[in-house]
């Protein structure tokens, strides 16, 4: 059986210290890639790379331009050029109605979940274009397609990630750089600690398969999108929602 082959590829995974990002790092490493974890949680990132052969951890806050640029330079010094970028770092933010969110609460989610994706793409896409090869996978959410109540900040940010993916894909379409996103429904990770049980129950109740998604399922889809096998699909939005999304 042919396996996903990422031999010799170098992959930056933001928020790769835990949860979905860590599972993606595990899968990419198993497929032959070298992972560079960009995460703000240095301790968790160091622990994660200790379990991933060849992996490197670099501290970054994806919302700060200087921090992203420093991470880019540190990455270049340690491993050279980057072939793959997985924009996974994100937060859920508070579970509140739009008018109950303070401007700071609303902005924080937009800054991390959308602006951070822009900054990391801005930092790494030019190198990919110069090499004539790149794979970018943005971790959006079903919330960005459907809009979840009590998550207007998160839904708006993830809808923004879907739009950014489609625009960037067209900008790079003739240059070997392929850009897609995935839209998972709820997956049990630490991120769920940020939101109310009522909100988690609501999201689970919307899934026809009647269960949470698994981090391994997100990693499997992402690994294919990171590979050379994904060659004629760009600007795509890949469902991972146990049947919740029917479009
Ligand atoms: P986790 O909270 O388990 O992991 C997210 C990681 O990103 C953490 O290590 C976190 O660090 C890091 N991070 C957060 N903000 C920043 C920042 N500013 N700079 C650098 N790193 C940062 O979340 P998940 O694994 O569940 O989520 C991963 C992605 O998947 C997110 O984009 C999320 O929106 C998306 N997603 C998740 C779903 C789910 O149900 N779990 C469903 C759909 C999409 P720290 O711990 O310090 O915050």
């Amino acid at each position: 059986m042919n396996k996903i082959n990422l031999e010799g590829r170098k992959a930056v995974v933001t928020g790769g210290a835990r949860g979905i990002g860590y599972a993606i790092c595990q899968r990419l490493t198993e497929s032959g890639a070298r992972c560079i974890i960009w995460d703000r949680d240095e301790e968790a990132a160091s622990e994660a790379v200790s379990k991933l052969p060849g992996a490197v951890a670099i501290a970054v806050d994806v919302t700060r331009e200087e921090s992203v640029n420093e991470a880019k330079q540190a990455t270049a010094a340690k491993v050279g050029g980057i072939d793959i970028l997985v924009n996974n770092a994100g937060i859920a933010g508070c579970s509140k109605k739009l008018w109950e969110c303070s401007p700071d609460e609303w902005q924080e989610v937009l800054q991390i979940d959308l602006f951070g994706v822009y900054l990391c793409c801005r930092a790494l896409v030019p190198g990919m274009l110069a090499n004539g090869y790149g794979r970018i996978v943005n971790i959006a959410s079903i919330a960005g397609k459907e809009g979840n109540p009590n998550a207007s900040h998160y839904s708006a940010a993830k809808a923004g990630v879907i739009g950014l993916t489609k625009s960037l894909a067209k900008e790079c379409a003739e240059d070997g750089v392929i850009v897609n996103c995935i839209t998972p429904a709820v997956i049990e990770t630490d991120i769920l600690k940020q939101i109310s049980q009522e909100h988690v129950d609501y999201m689970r109740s919307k899934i026809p398969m009647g269960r949470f998604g698994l981090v391994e399922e997100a990693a499997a889809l992402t690994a294919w999108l990171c590979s050379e096998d994904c060659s004629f699909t760009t600007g795509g939005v890949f469902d991972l929602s146990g049947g919740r999304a029917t479009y």
Side-chain angles (χ1 to χ4, degrees):
M1 189 176 73
N2 283 334
K3 292 186 175 167
I4 289 172
N5 181 5
L6 301 175
E7 274 318 316
R9 298 291 181 202
K10 287 168 280 178
V12 165
V13 180
T14 70
R18 58 168 56 80
I20 295 170
Y22 180 66
I24 290 170
C25 289
Q26 282 183 307
R27 185 68 197 249
L28 298 189
T29 303
E30 282 162 21
S31 302
R34 183 171 188 197
C35 288
I36 301 91
I37 293 182
W38 284 15
D39 202 293
R40 67 179 176 184
D41 186 335
E42 290 184 52
E43 205 179 314
S46 300
E47 199 189 323
V49 297
S50 72
K51 294 181 273 181
L52 299 166
V56 175
I58 291 177
V60 64
D61 177 350
V62 297
T63 66
R64 290 181 39 239
E65 183 186 350
E66 325 80 75
S67 176
V68 171
N69 287 339
E70 280 166 24
K72 175 190 169 175
Q73 277 157 18
T75 301
K78 284 192 176 163
V79 304
I82 291 300
D83 308 290
I84 295 165
L85 167 62
V86 181
N87 281 303
N88 164 83
I91 61 166
C94 58
S95 304
K96 290 183 183 173
K97 294 187 172 37
L98 179 147
W99 60 91
E100 293 165 351
C101 290
S102 70
D104 285 347
E105 286 170 332
W106 220 83
Q107 279 285 0
E108 187 191 12
V109 177
L110 269 287
Q111 284 291 314
I112 297 176
D113 291 5
L114 179 57
F115 188 64
V117 177
Y118 151 75
L119 280 181
C120 293
C121 289
R122 180 172 176 267
L124 296 182
V125 166
M128 293 180 179
L129 292 173
N131 288 342
Y133 184 88
R135 294 289 180 273
I136 298 173
V137 182
N138 297 324
I139 312 302
S141 166
I142 185 75
K145 282 175 151 185
E146 297 209 344
N148 282 338
N150 301 307
S152 62
H153 41 24
Y154 187 75
S155 303
K158 295 299 188 179
V161 170
I162 293 171
L164 177 157
T165 301
K166 293 180 180 184
S167 293
L168 180 62
K170 292 184 182 78
E171 290 165 5
C172 302
E174 291 183 299
D175 302 304
V177 177
I178 280 178
V179 190
N180 289 293
C181 67
I182 70 169
T183 52
V186 64
I187 295 176
E188 222 168 355
T189 69
D190 287 350
I191 208 172
L192 300 190
K193 292 178 191 160
Q194 298 168 25
I195 56 186
S196 67
Q197 188 57 44
E198 192 185 3
H199 188 54
V200 174
D201 294 344
Y202 165 82
M203 293 190 295
R204 195 175 186 281
S205 74
K206 301 283 281 181
I207 300 174
M209 283 189 188
R211 66 168 175 88
F212 293 124
L214 303 175
V215 292
E216 292 82 4
E217 291 170 326
L221 178 55
T222 302
W224 181 77
L225 291 168
C226 287
S227 75
E228 280 180 54
D229 285 343
C230 177
S231 54
F232 195 51
T233 302
T234 195
V237 182
F238 286 78
D239 175 46
L240 192 81
S241 68
R244 177 172 170 187
T246 50
Y247 64 99

